[in-house]
Amino acid sequence: MSSTVLVTGHNGYIGSVLTQVLSNAGHEVLGLDSYLFRDCRFGEDISEIPAKNKDIRDITASDLDGVDVICHLAGISNDPVGDLSPAVTDEVNHVAAVRLAGLARDAGVERFVFSSSCSIYGSSPGGWVDETSEINPVTPYGWSKIHVEREVSTMASDDFSPVFLRNATAYGVSPRLRADLVVNNMVGYAVTQDRVFMKSDGTPWRPLVHIEDIALAFLAAIEAPREAIHSEVFNVGSTAENYQIRDVARMIEGVIPDAKFEMAESAGPDIRNYRVNCDKIAGMLPYTPKWTVEAGIRELYEAFRREGLSEEQFFGSLFRIQHIKMLQERGDLDANLRLASSSHA
């Protein structure tokens, strides 16, 4: 049965892939985005869908008319941008998300699928974690996600079903590519500089997941029976796809033989270290990830070569923190991460 699905942040890294997956599955897809990253283009552009240009902090009940499901992705998307202003990160990622969930509940939206993150596990060097494990965020970004989970879960009712998808660290090709994600980043260095560059000592563990597999998890959460998703938390990814960063580097060397391994002079152990069990989602939802990290490395390598990825592009607009700083230096973005009305960024 098809639904009318509003994707907030539809013009971003994951959203631009998710909208296509949902449309292909027969759902009516609507978008809402501030278009902060519309100039962070890579390859073919995004398929057009009916959408509103609006900051998530300004959404109103009328924006939710006719919506059955919300997939909430809009927000500050990583630790470096989140660290610029913890207060703004909380305002956008936490306060605005909880407010949106409340509006959705009151408007009769049936499901609220929240894009959370495995980063909430933070520093868990003792072994594996799952959805019942203690959380230990180490950044404002991580804390913003767990605050939403805790507050929105209290809104669950017979008529309103929130579900929380804790995405593993994403990788893969997107029309709004991010170069600041570990697999994308290391492949980008290998293509543009012929080096597999590690910024940490390579020992931290990470769960890794392709953005198409994240999109398929959202699709599963939309289409599964209500009792399977009601107020549930799911780690998104595959238990088999947890890697130490040095293992990813070795895979990249195997795919891109001309790239030579290099470790940053300042490289040391990363405090973010977690191995995530993702068995619950495969057991409860119609969800089977399609990708492996090695296949994703090959996809990225081929796409970077096909599109002629340059150092200027890779180290510029495709790094979210660099794009933010450039907009602020131009006067197109203020300290609260609001675009000037005249900006077309």
Side-chain angles (χ1 to χ4, degrees):
M1 182 176 176
S2 64
S3 300
T4 299
V5 183
L6 173 65
V7 178
T8 69
H10 77 281
N11 199 254
Y13 176 63
I14 297 173
S16 56
V17 174
L18 174 59
T19 54
Q20 193 61 55
V21 168
L22 296 180
S23 295
N24 290 345
H27 297 285
E28 181 182 355
V29 185
L30 310 175
L32 186 144
D33 203 295
S34 67
Y35 292 92
L36 183 59
F37 300 112
R38 73 170 67 188
D39 285 343
C40 302
R41 296 187 179 93
F42 180 80
E44 292 185 11
D45 206 4
I46 298 167
S47 300
E48 290 296 325
I49 60 170
K52 293 184 178 182
N53 185 338
K54 181 174 276 194
D55 191 298
I56 194 64
R57 289 168 284 188
D58 302 328
I59 198 166
T60 64
S62 63
D63 295 317
L64 308 181
D65 288 346
V67 172
D68 301 313
V69 179
I70 294 175
C71 293
H72 182 45
L73 279 68
I76 292 169
S77 60
N78 65 2
D79 291 333
V81 179
D83 292 341
L84 279 177
S85 174
V88 175
T89 299
D90 186 71
E91 176 190 350
V92 174
N93 284 13
H94 164 212
V95 177
V98 173
R99 177 176 172 273
L100 173 62
L103 288 171
R105 175 198 57 196
D106 296 344
V109 175
E110 297 168 8
R111 297 192 188 190
F112 184 83
V113 189
F114 178 62
S115 186
S116 190
S117 170
C118 283
S119 67
I120 68 169
Y121 298 116
S123 179
S124 301
W128 290 89
V129 294
D130 63 19
E131 291 86 350
T132 66
S133 298
E134 183 178 354
I135 54 94
N136 187 25
V138 296
T139 64
Y141 171 79
W143 276 111
S144 71
K145 295 296 188 180
I146 197 62
H147 287 324
V148 175
E149 287 190 19
R150 287 171 172 171
E151 294 177 36
V152 174
S153 65
T154 67
M155 300 182 190
S157 69
D158 291 343
D159 301 315
F160 182 67
S161 295
V163 55
F164 309 99
L165 302 184
R166 294 176 179 173
N167 302 319
T169 300
Y171 64 87
V173 175
S174 163
R176 295 290 180 268
L177 189 76
R178 283 178 57 187
D180 48 21
L181 295 160
V182 62
V183 179
N184 297 359
N185 181 261
M186 293 171 73
V187 176
Y189 267 100
V191 170
T192 61
Q193 297 192 348
D194 293 327
R195 57 180 179 150
V196 182
F197 187 60
M198 286 204 317
K199 298 176 183 179
S200 76
D201 64 3
T203 60
W205 285 90
R206 286 286 191 287
L208 300 168
V209 64
H210 194 281
I211 48 173
E212 184 183 357
D213 287 331
I214 292 176
L216 291 174
F218 275 87
L219 179 64
I222 291 169
E223 297 186 342
R226 177 182 178 275
E227 58 270 19
I229 59 90
H230 182 72
S231 202
E232 291 284 352
V233 177
F234 297 100
N235 293 330
V236 175
S238 170
T239 302
E241 292 290 293
N242 283 266
Y243 295 95
Q244 288 179 290
I245 302 304
R246 62 192 179 197
D247 295 331
V248 177
R250 292 190 187 105
M251 280 190 272
I252 294 171
E253 280 188 299
V255 172
I256 311 174
D258 292 336
K260 301 295 184 270
F261 177 84
E262 183 179 330
M263 186 177 291
E265 291 184 6
S266 59
D270 190 331
I271 189 173
R272 298 167 301 167
N273 182 21
Y274 41 94
R275 301 172 75 183
V276 179
N277 183 296
C278 300
D279 293 347
K280 178 181 175 181
I281 189 170
M284 292 182 63
L285 301 185
Y287 176 70
T288 304
K290 294 182 176 182
W291 287 82
T292 64
V293 170
E294 184 169 355
I297 289 169
R298 294 184 184 281
E299 178 206 33
L300 287 160
Y301 177 48
E302 292 168 5
F304 289 172
R305 292 181 66 193
R306 181 177 65 249
E307 299 298 330
L309 181 70
S310 66
E311 286 191 54
E312 180 182 10
Q313 182 184 22
F314 178 66
F315 291 103
S317 63
L318 299 185
F319 270 84
R320 292 296 187 256
I321 188 69
Q322 293 299 111
H323 183 69
I324 293 290
K325 289 180 176 178
M326 180 270 291
L327 291 176
Q328 290 182 328
E329 289 170 1
R330 255 179 17 197
D332 290 335
L333 188 70
D334 68 17
N336 292 316
L337 300 186
R338 286 186 176 274
L339 283 165
S341 58
S342 60
S343 173
H344 298 287

